[in-house]
């Protein structure tokens, strides 16, 4: 059976107190919407429809980046979850498979759970995802009779007895497209909130003698985000899970709770991560690397045996080959550092390539930006760049070339050549003492006068 995802993302998220629509707030540097869409993608959906409302243009732009095939439909007024799903009907014209309803603000549902829901569809017309709530609070309650789900009662509409139920509605469901839209037509808004409840589908299905069941998942998967505090908690949950996975894979985290990971951080086994390292999106670190304390990495690739930090910054496009060393207070951006090359102290290497086994002296700067355009610096293999060198791009340094300390290199240096570009030193014998004596005498005169 083919599936289509309908992802609800029109809600305002008032309690986020933000100009950014709630579903675009990030957890581990990917929006909640991206997390939800990624989980849904595991079902290999034929179509994906996102229902947007508040700040719909921002949502539309985000969706286009996450999945250009996904369609965004507008729910101009937020009249309830049932009303929201109906907005996807036109976009799903002609689709006869199963519809999986996801929430954009429920980012942690696992692909495994979604697959269990699909599996349960073989025995029921409508499948709801429920969970045992530690604190059921204001969740909708699932009224079960054995395997069969009789109805969902919203907290506001529930009796005391129903409020005592702890098996709650996550909001996620699977239903055949034809049944779903036929039943949605019948949903009214005569309830405590005056909203069109998606949850009414359960009772409407029962009236038609259709079968309805619930699948249970861990409460952590249904964690919804309504406030910044929830967002911080969701991030913490993600971090704890991702760190545990890395430890399991054979990565050493010296102080796991101080390492901040992104949703897509990949680290190979036997790599050691020292305390207080931050991973932005798009980082892969191969096996057997060492990332030392207080380093910040994003959009980069670190190969086997490389040593990074402490206090190193790898920015997008930093490509470190095997056994490279990037030391303290070094920034690398959009640059390939070939095997065995070293940039150990206080340098900026941007828009550049550094050849094999080349040594970049302390304080070397690639001057890549002229105020308007960016230019490249190419450095060959086994070259030696003296300390405190400015490489004014575009510029090329050949293999085994050498630049003297303190040089401002504006012209290419051929392979094997030595470039010196600094004012020559003159020594004045005895002048230092003379100068000091003169200054001390002057000070003595001033304090008398
Ligand atoms: C809903 C469920 C409740 C469940 C809870 C789980 C209904 C009637 N109730 O309640 O049983 O326990 O979720 O979190 O479905 N949305 C729209 N358009 C709308 C309204 C909502 O897109 O008009 C979206 C929201 O952005 C959100 C999701 O649907 O992603 C859920 O809406 P929300 O208002 O949070 O529903 P709850 O009242 O929490
Ligand atoms: Mg909610």
């Amino acid at each position: 059976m083919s599936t289509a995802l309908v992802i609800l993302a029109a809600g305002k998220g008032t309690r986020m107190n933000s100009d950014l629509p709630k579903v675009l707030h990030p957890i581990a540097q990917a929006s909640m919407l991206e997390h939800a869409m990624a989980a849904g993608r595991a079902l290999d959906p034929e179509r994906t429809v996102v229902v947007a409302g508040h700040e719909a243009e921002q949502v539309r732009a985000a969706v286009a980046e996450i999945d250009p095939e996904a369609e965004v439909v507008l729910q101009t007024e937020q009249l309830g979850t049932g009303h929201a799903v109906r907005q996807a009907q036109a976009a799903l014209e002609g689709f006869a498979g199963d519809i999986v309803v996801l929430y954009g603000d429920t980012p942690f549902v696992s692909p495994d759970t979604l697959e269990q829901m699909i599996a349960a569809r073989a025995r029921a017309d409508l499948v709801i995802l429920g969970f045992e709530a530690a604190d059921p609070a204001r969740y909708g309650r699932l009224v079960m009779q054995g395997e069969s789900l009789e109805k969902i009662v919203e907290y506001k509409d529930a009796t005391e007895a129903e409020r005592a139920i702890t098996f709650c509605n996550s909001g996620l469901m699977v239903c055949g497209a034809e049944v779903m839209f036929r039943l949605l037509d019948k949903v009214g808004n005569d309830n405590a909130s005056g909203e069109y409840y998606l949850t009414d589908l359960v009772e409407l299905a029962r009236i038609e003698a259709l079968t309805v069941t619930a699948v249970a998942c861990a409460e952590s998967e249904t964690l919804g985000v309504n406030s910044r505090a929830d967002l911080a908690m969701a991030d913490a949950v993600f971090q704890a899970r991702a760190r545990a996975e890395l430890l399991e894979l054979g990565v050493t985290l010296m102080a796991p709770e101080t390492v901040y990971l992104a949703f897509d951080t990949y680290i190979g086994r036997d790599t050691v991560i020292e305390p207080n390292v931050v991973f932005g999106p798009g980082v892969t670190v191969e096996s057997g690397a060492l990332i030392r304390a207080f380093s910040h990495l994003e959009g980069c690739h670190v190969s086997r045996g490389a040593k990074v930090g402490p206090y190193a910054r790898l920015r997008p496009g930093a490509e470190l080959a095997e056994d490279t060393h990037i030391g303290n207070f070094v920034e690398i951006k959009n640059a390939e550092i070939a095997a065995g090359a070293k940039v150990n102290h206080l340098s900026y290497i941007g828009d550049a390539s550094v050849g094999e086994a080349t040594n970049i002296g302390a304080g070397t700067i690639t001057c890549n930006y002229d105020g308007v355009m960016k230019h490249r610096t190419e450095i060959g293999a086994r070259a030696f760049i003296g300390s405190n060198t400015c490489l004014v791009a575009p510029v090329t340094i050949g293999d085994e070339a050498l630049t003297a300390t303190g040089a401002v290199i504006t012209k290419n240096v051929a392979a094997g050549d030595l470039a010196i570009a600094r004012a020559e030193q003159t020594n004045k014998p005895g002048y230092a003492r003379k100068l000091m004596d003169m200054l001390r005498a002057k000070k003595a005169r001033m304090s008398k006068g």
Side-chain angles (χ1 to χ4, degrees):
M1 181 66 91
S2 57
T3 55
L5 305 178
V6 172
I7 303 176
L8 304 190
K12 186 167 184 194
T14 312
R15 291 206 284 134
M16 295 301 287
N17 202 0
S18 174
D19 292 335
L20 193 67
K22 176 160 88 172
V23 294
L24 297 189
H25 281 268
I27 293 171
Q29 316 205 28
S31 67
M32 284 191 256
L33 184 59
E34 189 165 350
H35 284 276
M37 288 174 78
R41 243 191 325 272
L43 298 176
D44 193 18
E46 195 178 301
R47 304 201 206 167
T48 299
V49 182
V50 177
V51 181
H54 278 278
E55 303 294 342
E57 284 322 300
Q58 285 189 59
V59 173
R60 196 184 293 280
V63 168
E65 281 209 4
I66 300 166
D67 177 2
E69 312 252 282
E71 204 168 323
V72 177
V73 298
L74 206 59
Q75 185 194 26
T76 39
E77 267 186 295
Q78 280 65 60
L79 302 178
T81 47
H83 180 262
V85 174
R86 275 184 77 168
Q87 309 313 304
Q89 186 165 9
L92 291 173
E93 180 74 56
F95 174 79
D98 280 344
I99 292 179
V100 180
V101 177
L102 303 178
Y103 284 3
D105 60 353
T106 307
F108 289 151
V109 63
S110 71
D112 211 42
T113 293
L114 295 179
E115 263 146 30
Q116 279 181 49
M117 291 172 75
I118 297 286
R121 251 289 282 149
R123 5 181 200 101
D125 297 293
L126 174 59
V127 178
I128 304 289
L129 180 65
F131 63 99
E132 274 301 329
D135 171 17
R138 304 184 68 82
Y139 286 116
R141 306 299 207 262
L142 301 185
V143 182
M144 301 295 293
Q145 212 159 62
E147 288 288 283
S148 171
L149 175 59
E150 298 298 299
K151 62 173 178 174
I152 304 178
V153 208
E154 287 308 297
Y155 176 83
K156 279 190 192 171
D157 304 288
T159 61
E160 277 310 309
E162 286 164 338
R163 285 180 181 181
I165 297 173
T166 52
F167 192 35
C168 290
N169 178 28
S170 70
L172 279 53
M173 65 168 69
V174 182
C175 182
E178 187 271 330
V179 172
M180 177 167 274
F181 290 118
R182 183 161 50 77
L183 296 182
L184 275 175
D185 270 347
K186 301 184 186 173
V187 171
N189 64 352
D190 182 15
N191 51 50
S193 307
E195 285 185 3
Y196 296 87
Y197 290 164
L198 182 60
T199 45
D200 282 358
L201 289 198
V202 176
E203 275 186 280
L204 290 167
R206 303 284 307 153
I207 290 166
E208 292 195 8
L210 296 171
T211 49
V212 187
T213 195
V215 163
C217 71
E219 186 169 12
S220 57
E221 286 189 42
T222 68
L223 194 120
V225 172
N226 292 306
S227 63
R228 305 271 181 164
D230 290 350
L231 187 69
M233 184 136 72
D235 211 313
V237 167
F238 180 93
Q239 296 298 330
R241 209 182 281 172
R243 290 169 192 141
E245 275 169 23
L246 287 177
L247 294 169
E248 189 66 30
L249 276 170
V251 174
T252 294
L253 304 178
M254 284 170 56
E257 65 290 351
T258 68
V259 175
Y260 188 82
L261 301 161
F263 68 105
D264 60 351
T265 303
Y266 176 85
I267 304 175
R269 96 199 197 125
D270 288 326
T271 279
V272 175
I273 312 288
E274 289 189 355
N276 296 299
V277 174
V278 175
F279 291 90
V283 177
T284 52
V285 180
E286 290 181 14
S287 316
L290 171 64
I291 312 295
R292 305 203 55 197
F294 296 100
S295 294
H296 189 285
L297 294 78
E298 63 185 310
C300 63
H301 172 231
V302 176
S303 300
R304 186 182 292 269
K307 292 190 172 66
V308 174
Y311 299 99
R313 176 155 188 225
L314 302 182
R315 289 176 52 206
E319 174 69 46
L320 311 190
E322 287 76 18
D323 306 313
T324 43
H325 290 190
I326 303 301
N328 36 239
F329 307 106
V330 171
E331 174 179 342
I332 310 279
K333 183 215 76 170
N334 186 31
E336 301 87 52
I337 313 298
K342 294 179 181 154
V343 191
N344 270 335
H345 328 269
L346 303 156
S347 283
Y348 170 63
I349 303 294
D351 301 311
S353 63
V354 174
E356 249 178 69
T358 282
N359 188 82
I360 306 285
T364 295
I365 306 291
T366 53
C367 310
N368 60 330
Y369 187 46
D370 59 17
V372 180
M373 280 181 295
K374 300 273 170 75
H375 303 281
R376 285 192 65 85
T377 301
E378 314 275 353
I379 304 171
R382 298 168 304 281
F384 184 96
I385 306 297
S387 293
N388 200 27
T389 296
C390 292
L391 298 159
V392 183
V395 71
T396 300
I397 312 292
D399 292 348
E400 283 146 39
L402 211 151
T403 64
T405 294
V408 177
I409 301 292
T410 54
K411 290 182 261 181
N412 293 346
V413 181
D417 285 1
L418 163 65
I420 306 170
R422 61 184 185 218
E424 218 171 308
Q425 181 170 330
T426 14
N427 288 359
K428 311 262 188 197
Y431 263 50
R433 276 204 194 103
K434 251 189 230 168
L435 183 68
M436 288 320 235
D437 290 346
M438 194 180 84
L439 291 174
R440 285 191 190 106
K442 188 173 180 184
K443 191 177 176 189
R445 274 201 307 281
M446 280 164 64
S447 55
K448 258 191 228 154

